[in-house]
Amino acid sequence: MLLRFIRNPFVSLLALNNLLLYVHWSGNAYMLTFPSGLGMPLFLPSGLFTGAFITANLLLVYWSYAHFLERRAVSELALPGLGRELGIGLLLGFGLFTICVLIAMALGLYRIEGIDRWQNLLAGVTGGTFTTPFGEELLFRGVWFRILEGVFGGWVALVVSSLWFGFVHAGNTGETFAGVASIAIVYGPLLAVPFMVSRRLWIGIGLHGAWNYTMGKVFSGAISGNSASPGLFKTTFQGPELLTGGSAGMEGSLIAMLVSLAFTAVMLILAVRRGMIVPPSWSRKITRPQLDV
């Protein structure tokens, strides 16, 4: 009876949501409380050690819940094909954001003044740049989208998980209403469609991490309304807020929205043509094997 209750989709959603948030927030609290890495091995940088520790615990919680309580194979995190799919995601994240920058440069909005320090490429890469995207993909696509899709189908899961993804970012320091709306309407679907097509999380994880890394560490931009930190290039980004995103950063700009929506549309068409859109549970037909006579 207890296992049946735990396996209820909505119980699983709430339980996994809270467990993953606790692991992520407690890890971030550790970084803020002990910025010098108190208690970590002396030969490891504090950010690297803490980021790896948070990621390992997120994976442990997610896998353990699926294996011991849901009693299912964690196919969305299967290792075969990991390198190829993660690589595709990394290239997509870097390529899509670079296209946004090139369009902004062509419009005279974005200027690269020179190179800052190459060491900026390494600063904080395990915090908001990679650990946070990894945790968010587990939470919003691995938990919210996957579970809602299993009950209500792919289209409802896409809408609801994306809206929740945007709402959670509303608390970011410099985030604007337009920025939150763009995260919900544009970037939630952008990160969900790779899962819809591949049924795995690796492409989305790579895309999310590379998008954030390119935005912050290469082009020195603000990430989802958080303060911008120095990256590889010294840049200026000036113009109408509609085209620059204001304090929300490039993510809140019309340029990035249109580029992302175009990619999402292509991926959704691919998903529809491949028959990858999961219907609601109550409309699925039970297929019985046909016997040869």
Side-chain angles (χ1 to χ4, degrees), residues 132-198:
T132 297
F134 185 88
E136 288 183 350
E137 289 312 302
L138 278 185
L139 179 61
F140 294 105
R141 262 59 69 177
V143 176
W144 279 82
F145 180 88
R146 177 183 59 82
I147 292 176
L148 290 173
E149 180 189 50
V151 179
F152 301 107
W155 294 117
V156 172
L158 182 65
V159 171
V160 175
S161 65
S162 297
L163 290 175
W164 182 240
F165 183 55
F167 176 79
V168 168
H169 285 79
N172 289 357
T173 307
E175 195 60 271
T176 62
F177 176 79
V180 172
S182 68
I183 291 173
I185 298 171
V186 178
Y187 302 111
L190 170 75
L191 294 166
V193 289
F195 180 77
M196 297 176 79
V197 171
S198 69

Side-chain angles (χ1 to χ4, degrees), residues 56-171:
N57 277 281
L58 288 170
L59 276 172
L60 178 62
V61 168
Y62 189 91
W63 182 87
S64 297
Y65 195 96
H67 183 75
F68 294 109
L69 297 178
E70 294 179 313
R71 300 287 177 86
R72 67 179 185 87
V74 193
S75 58
E76 64 271 26
L77 288 173
L79 295 181
L82 182 157
R84 182 179 66 86
E85 293 178 9
L86 194 61
I88 291 171
L90 292 171
L91 289 173
L92 283 172
F94 175 79
L96 287 171
F97 192 83
T98 301
I99 289 172
C100 298
V101 169
L102 291 175
I103 293 173
M105 291 177 69
L107 294 174
L109 305 169
Y110 201 99
R111 292 184 61 188
I112 295 178
E113 307 289 348
I115 295 179
D116 196 338
R117 298 171 63 247
W118 69 265
Q119 289 88 345
N120 291 341
L121 291 171
L122 304 177
V125 295
T126 58
T129 312
F130 284 115
T131 304
T132 297
F134 185 88
E136 288 183 350
E137 289 312 302
L138 278 185
L139 179 61
F140 294 105
R141 262 59 69 177
V143 176
W144 279 82
F145 180 88
R146 177 183 59 82
I147 292 176
L148 290 173
E149 180 189 50
V151 179
F152 301 107
W155 294 117
V156 172
L158 182 65
V159 171
V160 175
S161 65
S162 297
L163 290 175
W164 182 240
F165 183 55
F167 176 79
V168 168
H169 285 79

